[in-house]
Amino acid sequence: MMLRSDVHEAVQAEDRHGAHNYHPLGVVLCRGEGVWVHDVEDRRYFDALSAYSALNFGHRHPRLVRAATEQLERLTLTSRAFHNDQLGPFCAELAEFCRSDRVLPMNTGAEAVETAIKLARKWGYERKGVAPDRAEIVVCAGNFHGRTTTIVGFSDDSPARSGFGPFGPGFVRVPYGDSDALRSAIGANTVAFLVEPIQGEAGVIIPPDGYLAAARSICDEAGALLVADEVQSGLGRAGRRLACDHEDVRADLYVLGKALGGGIVPVSAVVGTDEVLSVLRPGEHGSTFGGNPLACAVGREVLRLLADGRLVEESARLGAAAASRLRAAAHPAVREVRQRGLWLGIELSDDAPSARRASERLMERGVLAKDTHEKTLRIAPPLTVTAAELDWALERLDDVLAGLL
Ligand SMILES: Cc1ncc(COP(=O)(O)O)c(C=O)c1O
């Protein structure tokens, strides 16, 4: 007999004493290893969400746990008032990974996006000569960059922004994937174009081929920065080290997060050129926890896990195979399968039940996935998944999709 999650005391306490800002599926997890998690009744589930790509290396990857444990036993936090022996190497290794110059470490993705916005504006005033307080940043319709008031202020998602204004000026929104619209929106005061190379929360939306390369040249012509928010798309998720690599595009600033913390600690960063990162001087930006030695030690091990390219190749290979299989099944309930790497957006047809309902049915069969918006099911298993484990999950997904209509 399945224990109803709403009668579990942990859920009751959450319901009674926690803010209701999420609507989780009815499962209470207590243990995880690799791609598998267990609920409080010891039922096992395949994790097909990976904490929105924060768990690219699965649950408790032994090398990440070892790196964290060793660092826990040495030094966890210094603040940036003092140096620590992990931050410098972490910055050097992450800058090299991104083929860029410098790193500014933060904690959450939203903080790193805020940091990139501040950097772009300061660069605009000091280097491009934009008049004080006139800097503009071009963003995309359907964007998701986090939850701070500045960020939700330029979102077009009503639940994310309604009721949280007033919002500051300085952002111009253009349709995603439309380089002509970008070209028309960029003006003399534009300091940056902030873009997700693939829009994750919008439903794994892949822009037309050539879009990022076009954005790069439009920014170059206009003297604006290209800022790639790779918080979700980066670090192997999209079948490349960075999703911008699909078009061999180099951004001026990369925003990274989620998987950088190995599913253990929040770690985010802005990685960029000397020219941009050098606009900051002591006292102008910071974070108590940003660059802490525990975060840096875990981040360094994450980069070592990615170094030989094997996980990234597997992401590309397994993801493409999964998408072909789902497309070949031609389920009437599925309108479209979008895929880059181990990142799939399954768009359900209008007459199918909601993606939330599909997620619930998947959960009953032992697969945890999540809807985004009304009709998109998002599948993003850890990159460490084996072909056999993925097959197991895809069989169940096939079953559920076949039964929707
Ligand atoms: C592209 C992108 N940027 C930023 C964020 C915000 O990250 P965080 O939730 O760590 O603040 C997210 C989170 O989903 C994201 O997908």
PDB file of all heavy atoms in Angstrom, residues 198-236:
ATOM      1  N   ILE A 198      19.816  27.652 -24.622  1.00  0.00           N
ATOM      2  CA  ILE A 198      18.612  26.826 -24.777  1.00  0.00           C
ATOM      3  C   ILE A 198      17.735  27.243 -23.604  1.00  0.00           C
ATOM      4  O   ILE A 198      18.229  27.332 -22.480  1.00  0.00           O
ATOM      5  CB  ILE A 198      18.950  25.326 -24.665  1.00  0.00           C
ATOM      6  CG1 ILE A 198      19.834  24.893 -25.838  1.00  0.00           C
ATOM      7  CG2 ILE A 198      17.677  24.465 -24.585  1.00  0.00           C
ATOM      8  CD1 ILE A 198      20.460  23.519 -25.683  1.00  0.00           C
ATOM      9  N   GLN A 199      16.466  27.527 -23.862  1.00  0.00           N
ATOM     10  CA  GLN A 199      15.636  27.961 -22.738  1.00  0.00           C
ATOM     11  C   GLN A 199      15.105  26.747 -21.980  1.00  0.00           C
ATOM     12  O   GLN A 199      14.319  25.966 -22.512  1.00  0.00           O
ATOM     13  CB  GLN A 199      14.471  28.822 -23.232  1.00  0.00           C
ATOM     14  CG  GLN A 199      14.913  30.219 -23.654  1.00  0.00           C
ATOM     15  CD  GLN A 199      13.741  31.132 -23.939  1.00  0.00           C
ATOM     16  OE1 GLN A 199      12.683  30.683 -24.394  1.00  0.00           O
ATOM     17  NE2 GLN A 199      13.929  32.419 -23.695  1.00  0.00           N
ATOM     18  N   GLY A 200      15.540  26.613 -20.741  1.00  0.00           N
ATOM     19  CA  GLY A 200      15.197  25.436 -19.953  1.00  0.00           C
ATOM     20  C   GLY A 200      13.804  25.484 -19.362  1.00  0.00           C
ATOM     21  O   GLY A 200      12.931  24.681 -19.707  1.00  0.00           O
ATOM     22  N   GLU A 201      13.567  26.463 -18.507  1.00  0.00           N
ATOM     23  CA  GLU A 201      12.273  26.516 -17.816  1.00  0.00           C
ATOM     24  C   GLU A 201      11.140  26.747 -18.804  1.00  0.00           C
ATOM     25  O   GLU A 201      10.004  26.348 -18.558  1.00  0.00           O
ATOM     26  CB  GLU A 201      12.277  27.606 -16.735  1.00  0.00           C
ATOM     27  CG  GLU A 201      13.255  27.317 -15.613  1.00  0.00           C
ATOM     28  CD  GLU A 201      13.042  25.937 -15.015  1.00  0.00           C
ATOM     29  OE1 GLU A 201      11.975  25.678 -14.452  1.00  0.00           O
ATOM     30  OE2 GLU A 201      13.964  25.095 -15.156  1.00  0.00           O
ATOM     31  N   ALA A 202      11.436  27.377 -19.925  1.00  0.00           N
ATOM     32  CA  ALA A 202      10.394  27.598 -20.940  1.00  0.00           C
ATOM     33  C   ALA A 202       9.989  26.280 -21.597  1.00  0.00           C
ATOM     34  O   ALA A 202       8.990  26.216 -22.312  1.00  0.00           O
ATOM     35  CB  ALA A 202      10.891  28.584 -21.981  1.00  0.00           C
ATOM     36  N   GLY A 203      10.790  25.219 -21.397  1.00  0.00           N
ATOM     37  CA  GLY A 203      10.398  23.915 -21.926  1.00  0.00           C
ATOM     38  C   GLY A 203      11.427  23.301 -22.869  1.00  0.00           C
ATOM     39  O   GLY A 203      11.058  22.605 -23.812  1.00  0.00           O
ATOM     40  N   VAL A 204      12.701  23.530 -22.607  1.00  0.00           N
ATOM     41  CA  VAL A 204      13.786  23.054 -23.477  1.00  0.00           C
ATOM     42  C   VAL A 204      13.537  23.565 -24.910  1.00  0.00           C
ATOM     43  O   VAL A 204      13.327  22.810 -25.859  1.00  0.00           O
ATOM     44  CB  VAL A 204      13.950  21.508 -23.446  1.00  0.00           C
ATOM     45  CG1 VAL A 204      15.277  21.085 -24.106  1.00  0.00           C
ATOM     46  CG2 VAL A 204      13.905  20.977 -22.026  1.00  0.00           C
ATOM     47  N   ILE A 205      13.539  24.870 -25.017  1.00  0.00           N
ATOM     48  CA  ILE A 205      13.313  25.518 -26.315  1.00  0.00           C
ATOM     49  C   ILE A 205      14.677  25.751 -26.972  1.00  0.00           C
ATOM     50  O   ILE A 205      15.549  26.427 -26.409  1.00  0.00           O
ATOM     51  CB  ILE A 205      12.583  26.877 -26.161  1.00  0.00           C
ATOM     52  CG1 ILE A 205      11.309  26.726 -25.319  1.00  0.00           C
ATOM     53  CG2 ILE A 205      12.316  27.505 -27.526  1.00  0.00           C
ATOM     54  CD1 ILE A 205      10.200  25.934 -25.952  1.00  0.00           C
ATOM     55  N   ILE A 206      14.838  25.165 -28.163  1.00  0.00           N
ATOM     56  CA  ILE A 206      16.114  25.248 -28.872  1.00  0.00           C
ATOM     57  C   ILE A 206      15.972  26.306 -29.961  1.00  0.00           C
ATOM     58  O   ILE A 206      15.060  26.223 -30.797  1.00  0.00           O
ATOM     59  CB  ILE A 206      16.463  23.870 -29.481  1.00  0.00           C
ATOM     60  CG1 ILE A 206      16.551  22.833 -28.344  1.00  0.00           C
ATOM     61  CG2 ILE A 206      17.768  23.930 -30.272  1.00  0.00           C
ATOM     62  CD1 ILE A 206      16.498  21.391 -28.800  1.00  0.00           C
ATOM     63  N   PRO A 207      16.843  27.302 -29.972  1.00  0.00           N
ATOM     64  CA  PRO A 207      16.690  28.353 -30.991  1.00  0.00           C
ATOM     65  C   PRO A 207      17.072  27.831 -32.372  1.00  0.00           C
ATOM     66  O   PRO A 207      17.743  26.800 -32.478  1.00  0.00           O
ATOM     67  CB  PRO A 207      17.669  29.439 -30.518  1.00  0.00           C
ATOM     68  CG  PRO A 207      18.716  28.712 -29.749  1.00  0.00           C
ATOM     69  CD  PRO A 207      18.033  27.512 -29.124  1.00  0.00           C
ATOM     70  N   PRO A 208      16.690  28.539 -33.445  1.00  0.00           N
ATOM     71  CA  PRO A 208      17.074  28.086 -34.798  1.00  0.00           C
ATOM     72  C   PRO A 208      18.593  28.029 -34.935  1.00  0.00           C
ATOM     73  O   PRO A 208      19.303  28.806 -34.290  1.00  0.00           O
ATOM     74  CB  PRO A 208      16.517  29.182 -35.714  1.00  0.00           C
ATOM     75  CG  PRO A 208      15.641  30.034 -34.883  1.00  0.00           C
ATOM     76  CD  PRO A 208      15.924  29.782 -33.451  1.00  0.00           C
ATOM     77  N   ASP A 209      19.079  27.123 -35.781  1.00  0.00           N
ATOM     78  CA  ASP A 209      20.518  27.028 -36.036  1.00  0.00           C
ATOM     79  C   ASP A 209      21.053  28.400 -36.446  1.00  0.00           C
ATOM     80  O   ASP A 209      20.417  29.093 -37.239  1.00  0.00           O
ATOM     81  CB  ASP A 209      20.799  26.054 -37.193  1.00  0.00           C
ATOM     82  CG  ASP A 209      20.627  24.620 -36.738  1.00  0.00           C
ATOM     83  OD1 ASP A 209      20.562  24.390 -35.506  1.00  0.00           O
ATOM     84  OD2 ASP A 209      20.542  23.734 -37.619  1.00  0.00           O
ATOM     85  N   GLY A 210      22.192  28.735 -35.930  1.00  0.00           N
ATOM     86  CA  GLY A 210      22.827  29.992 -36.323  1.00  0.00           C
ATOM     87  C   GLY A 210      22.448  31.185 -35.460  1.00  0.00           C
ATOM     88  O   GLY A 210      23.019  32.267 -35.593  1.00  0.00           O
ATOM     89  N   TYR A 211      21.487  30.985 -34.549  1.00  0.00           N
ATOM     90  CA  TYR A 211      21.008  32.116 -33.738  1.00  0.00           C
ATOM     91  C   TYR A 211      22.104  32.671 -32.828  1.00  0.00           C
ATOM     92  O   TYR A 211      22.294  33.887 -32.737  1.00  0.00           O
ATOM     93  CB  TYR A 211      19.809  31.659 -32.904  1.00  0.00           C
ATOM     94  CG  TYR A 211      19.256  32.698 -31.968  1.00  0.00           C
ATOM     95  CD1 TYR A 211      18.754  33.908 -32.441  1.00  0.00           C
ATOM     96  CD2 TYR A 211      19.184  32.470 -30.585  1.00  0.00           C
ATOM     97  CE1 TYR A 211      18.219  34.857 -31.574  1.00  0.00           C
ATOM     98  CE2 TYR A 211      18.657  33.406 -29.716  1.00  0.00           C
ATOM     99  CZ  TYR A 211      18.175  34.598 -30.218  1.00  0.00           C
ATOM    100  OH  TYR A 211      17.644  35.538 -29.365  1.00  0.00           O
ATOM    101  N   LEU A 212      22.827  31.774 -32.172  1.00  0.00           N
ATOM    102  CA  LEU A 212      23.837  32.254 -31.223  1.00  0.00           C
ATOM    103  C   LEU A 212      24.983  32.924 -31.966  1.00  0.00           C
ATOM    104  O   LEU A 212      25.512  33.950 -31.523  1.00  0.00           O
ATOM    105  CB  LEU A 212      24.361  31.095 -30.362  1.00  0.00           C
ATOM    106  CG  LEU A 212      23.314  30.417 -29.478  1.00  0.00           C
ATOM    107  CD1 LEU A 212      23.915  29.201 -28.783  1.00  0.00           C
ATOM    108  CD2 LEU A 212      22.755  31.396 -28.444  1.00  0.00           C
ATOM    109  N   ALA A 213      25.352  32.345 -33.119  1.00  0.00           N
ATOM    110  CA  ALA A 213      26.420  32.956 -33.914  1.00  0.00           C
ATOM    111  C   ALA A 213      25.974  34.333 -34.412  1.00  0.00           C
ATOM    112  O   ALA A 213      26.755  35.299 -34.393  1.00  0.00           O
ATOM    113  CB  ALA A 213      26.781  32.050 -35.083  1.00  0.00           C
ATOM    114  N   ALA A 214      24.716  34.437 -34.825  1.00  0.00           N
ATOM    115  CA  ALA A 214      24.203  35.737 -35.274  1.00  0.00           C
ATOM    116  C   ALA A 214      24.210  36.722 -34.110  1.00  0.00           C
ATOM    117  O   ALA A 214      24.611  37.885 -34.260  1.00  0.00           O
ATOM    118  CB  ALA A 214      22.795  35.584 -35.836  1.00  0.00           C
ATOM    119  N   ALA A 215      23.786  36.237 -32.937  1.00  0.00           N
ATOM    120  CA  ALA A 215      23.780  37.117 -31.759  1.00  0.00           C
ATOM    121  C   ALA A 215      25.194  37.611 -31.469  1.00  0.00           C
ATOM    122  O   ALA A 215      25.403  38.784 -31.134  1.00  0.00           O
ATOM    123  CB  ALA A 215      23.216  36.381 -30.546  1.00  0.00           C
ATOM    124  N   ARG A 216      26.170  36.706 -31.621  1.00  0.00           N
ATOM    125  CA  ARG A 216      27.563  37.097 -31.387  1.00  0.00           C
ATOM    126  C   ARG A 216      27.955  38.245 -32.333  1.00  0.00           C
ATOM    127  O   ARG A 216      28.502  39.253 -31.903  1.00  0.00           O
ATOM    128  CB  ARG A 216      28.465  35.875 -31.569  1.00  0.00           C
ATOM    129  CG  ARG A 216      29.965  36.044 -31.452  1.00  0.00           C
ATOM    130  CD  ARG A 216      30.464  36.342 -30.049  1.00  0.00           C
ATOM    131  NE  ARG A 216      30.392  37.758 -29.712  1.00  0.00           N
ATOM    132  CZ  ARG A 216      30.714  38.261 -28.526  1.00  0.00           C
ATOM    133  NH1 ARG A 216      31.107  37.463 -27.534  1.00  0.00           N
ATOM    134  NH2 ARG A 216      30.625  39.555 -28.295  1.00  0.00           N
ATOM    135  N   SER A 217      27.642  38.087 -33.626  1.00  0.00           N
ATOM    136  CA  SER A 217      28.084  39.170 -34.523  1.00  0.00           C
ATOM    137  C   SER A 217      27.274  40.439 -34.330  1.00  0.00           C
ATOM    138  O   SER A 217      27.830  41.539 -34.438  1.00  0.00           O
ATOM    139  CB  SER A 217      28.151  38.761 -35.999  1.00  0.00           C
ATOM    140  OG  SER A 217      27.271  37.771 -36.290  1.00  0.00           O
ATOM    141  N   ILE A 218      25.991  40.319 -34.004  1.00  0.00           N
ATOM    142  CA  ILE A 218      25.193  41.540 -33.761  1.00  0.00           C
ATOM    143  C   ILE A 218      25.779  42.294 -32.555  1.00  0.00           C
ATOM    144  O   ILE A 218      25.930  43.517 -32.572  1.00  0.00           O
ATOM    145  CB  ILE A 218      23.701  41.177 -33.531  1.00  0.00           C
ATOM    146  CG1 ILE A 218      23.096  40.621 -34.821  1.00  0.00           C
ATOM    147  CG2 ILE A 218      22.915  42.378 -33.025  1.00  0.00           C
ATOM    148  CD1 ILE A 218      21.749  39.937 -34.646  1.00  0.00           C
ATOM    149  N   CYS A 219      26.120  41.551 -31.510  1.00  0.00           N
ATOM    150  CA  CYS A 219      26.710  42.192 -30.311  1.00  0.00           C
ATOM    151  C   CYS A 219      28.050  42.835 -30.658  1.00  0.00           C
ATOM    152  O   CYS A 219      28.347  43.947 -30.217  1.00  0.00           O
ATOM    153  CB  CYS A 219      26.894  41.182 -29.181  1.00  0.00           C
ATOM    154  SG  CYS A 219      25.336  40.710 -28.395  1.00  0.00           S
ATOM    155  N   ASP A 220      28.853  42.124 -31.456  1.00  0.00           N
ATOM    156  CA  ASP A 220      30.162  42.675 -31.836  1.00  0.00           C
ATOM    157  C   ASP A 220      29.995  43.985 -32.610  1.00  0.00           C
ATOM    158  O   ASP A 220      30.662  44.980 -32.326  1.00  0.00           O
ATOM    159  CB  ASP A 220      30.947  41.673 -32.693  1.00  0.00           C
ATOM    160  CG  ASP A 220      31.499  40.532 -31.850  1.00  0.00           C
ATOM    161  OD1 ASP A 220      31.570  40.701 -30.604  1.00  0.00           O
ATOM    162  OD2 ASP A 220      31.838  39.485 -32.420  1.00  0.00           O
ATOM    163  N   GLU A 221      29.067  43.957 -33.584  1.00  0.00           N
ATOM    164  CA  GLU A 221      28.864  45.171 -34.398  1.00  0.00           C
ATOM    165  C   GLU A 221      28.399  46.343 -33.537  1.00  0.00           C
ATOM    166  O   GLU A 221      28.793  47.480 -33.758  1.00  0.00           O
ATOM    167  CB  GLU A 221      27.780  44.920 -35.461  1.00  0.00           C
ATOM    168  CG  GLU A 221      28.279  44.145 -36.666  1.00  0.00           C
ATOM    169  CD  GLU A 221      27.121  43.477 -37.412  1.00  0.00           C
ATOM    170  OE1 GLU A 221      25.980  44.001 -37.378  1.00  0.00           O
ATOM    171  OE2 GLU A 221      27.362  42.414 -38.025  1.00  0.00           O
ATOM    172  N   ALA A 222      27.550  46.035 -32.541  1.00  0.00           N
ATOM    173  CA  ALA A 222      26.957  47.111 -31.740  1.00  0.00           C
ATOM    174  C   ALA A 222      27.811  47.456 -30.527  1.00  0.00           C
ATOM    175  O   ALA A 222      27.462  48.373 -29.771  1.00  0.00           O
ATOM    176  CB  ALA A 222      25.556  46.677 -31.293  1.00  0.00           C
ATOM    177  N   GLY A 223      28.872  46.721 -30.293  1.00  0.00           N
ATOM    178  CA  GLY A 223      29.679  46.974 -29.095  1.00  0.00           C
ATOM    179  C   GLY A 223      28.917  46.636 -27.829  1.00  0.00           C
ATOM    180  O   GLY A 223      28.955  47.367 -26.832  1.00  0.00           O
ATOM    181  N   ALA A 224      28.191  45.517 -27.845  1.00  0.00           N
ATOM    182  CA  ALA A 224      27.473  45.055 -26.651  1.00  0.00           C
ATOM    183  C   ALA A 224      28.026  43.690 -26.241  1.00  0.00           C
ATOM    184  O   ALA A 224      28.575  42.959 -27.079  1.00  0.00           O
ATOM    185  CB  ALA A 224      25.977  44.954 -26.953  1.00  0.00           C
ATOM    186  N   LEU A 225      27.854  43.362 -24.977  1.00  0.00           N
ATOM    187  CA  LEU A 225      28.363  42.076 -24.490  1.00  0.00           C
ATOM    188  C   LEU A 225      27.359  40.967 -24.752  1.00  0.00           C
ATOM    189  O   LEU A 225      26.142  41.179 -24.621  1.00  0.00           O
ATOM    190  CB  LEU A 225      28.621  42.146 -22.977  1.00  0.00           C
ATOM    191  CG  LEU A 225      29.577  43.233 -22.490  1.00  0.00           C
ATOM    192  CD1 LEU A 225      29.622  43.227 -20.957  1.00  0.00           C
ATOM    193  CD2 LEU A 225      30.968  43.029 -23.076  1.00  0.00           C
ATOM    194  N   LEU A 226      27.863  39.807 -25.100  1.00  0.00           N
ATOM    195  CA  LEU A 226      27.005  38.621 -25.179  1.00  0.00           C
ATOM    196  C   LEU A 226      27.133  37.885 -23.843  1.00  0.00           C
ATOM    197  O   LEU A 226      28.229  37.443 -23.477  1.00  0.00           O
ATOM    198  CB  LEU A 226      27.435  37.718 -26.330  1.00  0.00           C
ATOM    199  CG  LEU A 226      26.636  36.414 -26.474  1.00  0.00           C
ATOM    200  CD1 LEU A 226      25.160  36.703 -26.789  1.00  0.00           C
ATOM    201  CD2 LEU A 226      27.227  35.528 -27.571  1.00  0.00           C
ATOM    202  N   VAL A 227      26.018  37.795 -23.119  1.00  0.00           N
ATOM    203  CA  VAL A 227      26.026  37.148 -21.808  1.00  0.00           C
ATOM    204  C   VAL A 227      25.196  35.867 -21.910  1.00  0.00           C
ATOM    205  O   VAL A 227      23.981  35.926 -22.137  1.00  0.00           O
ATOM    206  CB  VAL A 227      25.430  38.076 -20.721  1.00  0.00           C
ATOM    207  CG1 VAL A 227      25.478  37.390 -19.362  1.00  0.00           C
ATOM    208  CG2 VAL A 227      26.173  39.403 -20.685  1.00  0.00           C
ATOM    209  N   ALA A 228      25.863  34.723 -21.781  1.00  0.00           N
ATOM    210  CA  ALA A 228      25.165  33.438 -21.920  1.00  0.00           C
ATOM    211  C   ALA A 228      24.849  32.878 -20.546  1.00  0.00           C
ATOM    212  O   ALA A 228      25.761  32.583 -19.772  1.00  0.00           O
ATOM    213  CB  ALA A 228      26.044  32.463 -22.702  1.00  0.00           C
ATOM    214  N   ASP A 229      23.561  32.759 -20.263  1.00  0.00           N
ATOM    215  CA  ASP A 229      23.157  32.133 -18.999  1.00  0.00           C
ATOM    216  C   ASP A 229      23.145  30.625 -19.215  1.00  0.00           C
ATOM    217  O   ASP A 229      22.190  30.071 -19.762  1.00  0.00           O
ATOM    218  CB  ASP A 229      21.780  32.650 -18.567  1.00  0.00           C
ATOM    219  CG  ASP A 229      21.352  32.031 -17.232  1.00  0.00           C
ATOM    220  OD1 ASP A 229      21.989  31.046 -16.788  1.00  0.00           O
ATOM    221  OD2 ASP A 229      20.371  32.522 -16.645  1.00  0.00           O
ATOM    222  N   GLU A 230      24.224  29.990 -18.764  1.00  0.00           N
ATOM    223  CA  GLU A 230      24.383  28.534 -18.928  1.00  0.00           C
ATOM    224  C   GLU A 230      24.175  27.833 -17.589  1.00  0.00           C
ATOM    225  O   GLU A 230      24.716  26.751 -17.353  1.00  0.00           O
ATOM    226  CB  GLU A 230      25.770  28.218 -19.490  1.00  0.00           C
ATOM    227  CG  GLU A 230      26.019  28.779 -20.883  1.00  0.00           C
ATOM    228  CD  GLU A 230      26.141  27.687 -21.951  1.00  0.00           C
ATOM    229  OE1 GLU A 230      25.739  26.526 -21.687  1.00  0.00           O
ATOM    230  OE2 GLU A 230      26.628  28.014 -23.058  1.00  0.00           O
ATOM    231  N   VAL A 231      23.389  28.459 -16.713  1.00  0.00           N
ATOM    232  CA  VAL A 231      23.149  27.868 -15.391  1.00  0.00           C
ATOM    233  C   VAL A 231      22.567  26.465 -15.537  1.00  0.00           C
ATOM    234  O   VAL A 231      22.965  25.540 -14.824  1.00  0.00           O
ATOM    235  CB  VAL A 231      22.220  28.784 -14.553  1.00  0.00           C
ATOM    236  CG1 VAL A 231      21.669  28.062 -13.338  1.00  0.00           C
ATOM    237  CG2 VAL A 231      22.969  30.034 -14.117  1.00  0.00           C
ATOM    238  N   GLN A 232      21.648  26.302 -16.489  1.00  0.00           N
ATOM    239  CA  GLN A 232      21.027  24.994 -16.667  1.00  0.00           C
ATOM    240  C   GLN A 232      21.621  24.246 -17.872  1.00  0.00           C
ATOM    241  O   GLN A 232      21.753  23.025 -17.857  1.00  0.00           O
ATOM    242  CB  GLN A 232      19.511  25.142 -16.826  1.00  0.00           C
ATOM    243  CG  GLN A 232      18.782  23.861 -16.511  1.00  0.00           C
ATOM    244  CD  GLN A 232      17.277  24.013 -16.283  1.00  0.00           C
ATOM    245  OE1 GLN A 232      16.556  23.059 -16.403  1.00  0.00           O
ATOM    246  NE2 GLN A 232      16.788  25.175 -15.950  1.00  0.00           N
ATOM    247  N   SER A 233      22.009  24.977 -18.900  1.00  0.00           N
ATOM    248  CA  SER A 233      22.431  24.322 -20.152  1.00  0.00           C
ATOM    249  C   SER A 233      23.896  23.908 -20.145  1.00  0.00           C
ATOM    250  O   SER A 233      24.313  23.094 -20.962  1.00  0.00           O
ATOM    251  CB  SER A 233      22.185  25.274 -21.331  1.00  0.00           C
ATOM    252  OG  SER A 233      22.934  26.474 -21.177  1.00  0.00           O
ATOM    253  N   GLY A 234      24.675  24.473 -19.223  1.00  0.00           N
ATOM    254  CA  GLY A 234      26.119  24.249 -19.243  1.00  0.00           C
ATOM    255  C   GLY A 234      26.551  22.967 -18.570  1.00  0.00           C
ATOM    256  O   GLY A 234      25.732  22.166 -18.106  1.00  0.00           O
ATOM    257  N   LEU A 235      27.863  22.744 -18.553  1.00  0.00           N
ATOM    258  CA  LEU A 235      28.491  21.634 -17.833  1.00  0.00           C
ATOM    259  C   LEU A 235      27.968  20.275 -18.292  1.00  0.00           C
ATOM    260  O   LEU A 235      27.678  19.397 -17.470  1.00  0.00           O
ATOM    261  CB  LEU A 235      28.319  21.819 -16.315  1.00  0.00           C
ATOM    262  CG  LEU A 235      28.825  23.179 -15.776  1.00  0.00           C
ATOM    263  CD1 LEU A 235      28.549  23.311 -14.283  1.00  0.00           C
ATOM    264  CD2 LEU A 235      30.302  23.388 -16.064  1.00  0.00           C
ATOM    265  N   GLY A 236      27.820  20.131 -19.606  1.00  0.00           N
ATOM    266  CA  GLY A 236      27.522  18.819 -20.185  1.00  0.00           C
ATOM    267  C   GLY A 236      26.059  18.520 -20.436  1.00  0.00           C
ATOM    268  O   GLY A 236      25.728  17.615 -21.199  1.00  0.00           O
TER     269      GLY A 236
END
